[in-house]
Amino acid sequence: MTGTDGRHGRDEARGCRVEMTYVRFQGTVRSPRGHFPGVFALANGLARQGVLTDEQWSFWRAGNDWYDANYPDPSTVDPQVYDPELHPGAVAWFKTSAPAAELVKRVDGYLKILTAHGVECHMIRSTDPGKVVYEDEYQVVAVPHTPSRPTPTPHPA
């Protein structure tokens, strides 16, 4: 059961507080902005590069259209939600509640595309993704407690 802030609730049968769990699918290489890109950013990048097969492109296009039609896009609701000055390192997390189940389930096809192109993507879970700067029924956008910064790359001598 979810409380008024969407992140906590009470299990009435047990009389205890229940924390919301969030899940994120993200790459293993930091972006130039310092965060680990999510599954959609990674797949969109492959599409922009023109490396998807016809079948992969069809899945990607239909999947993106489905998500756009069925779920809020945080950046459309709040154009500043990912602003690096206002919300450094902000990233989206899926809620694991029942309304978000279909949202998470459909990620598998994107993960298959990433795997086929050698792009690593890991699932991470958290009960505390950071300072929530956006929330709807299905997801949150949160600034990590310690915003990620780019890891310096050593330059050859």
Side-chain angles (χ1 to χ4, degrees):
M1 181 178 278
T2 305
T4 57
D5 70 357
R7 293 181 291 284
H8 300 96
R10 294 196 62 77
D11 180 339
E12 298 301 331
R14 295 190 177 106
C16 60
R17 187 177 170 128
V18 177
E19 299 233 6
M20 172 69 70
T21 301
Y22 304 92
V23 64
R24 177 168 168 74
F25 298 87
Q26 68 181 26
T28 60
V29 177
R30 290 186 191 274
S31 75
R33 286 183 41 206
H35 69 286
F36 294 98
V39 64
F40 300 117
L42 294 169
N44 292 349
L46 291 174
R48 276 193 304 277
Q49 292 171 24
V51 298
L52 300 181
T53 66
D54 289 344
E55 182 181 334
Q56 291 168 342
W57 191 92
S58 293
F59 171 86
W60 167 81
R61 182 69 270 150
N64 282 5
D65 290 345
W66 182 87
Y67 278 103
D68 289 344
N70 290 288
Y71 294 97
D73 175 350
S75 63
T76 302
V77 176
D78 177 0
Q80 296 181 322
V81 73
Y82 294 112
D83 182 295
E85 296 297 318
L86 293 175
H87 308 295
V91 294
W93 293 75
F94 295 119
K95 291 182 176 181
T96 56
S97 57
E102 184 67 17
L103 181 91
V104 175
K105 187 169 92 175
R106 288 180 173 250
V107 168
D108 284 347
Y110 288 86
L111 297 175
K112 289 176 184 171
I113 290 172
L114 296 176
T115 298
H117 290 274
V119 177
E120 287 188 61
C121 189
H122 297 284
M123 180 181 74
I124 56 175
R125 292 181 180 273
S126 178
T127 56
D128 184 10
K131 178 186 172 201
V132 175
V133 296
Y134 170 87
E135 180 170 5
D136 61 41
E137 186 177 1
Y138 313 101
Q139 62 196 324
V140 298
V141 175
V143 176
H145 293 297
T146 305
S148 53
R149 299 285 181 227
T151 304
T153 304
H155 295 284

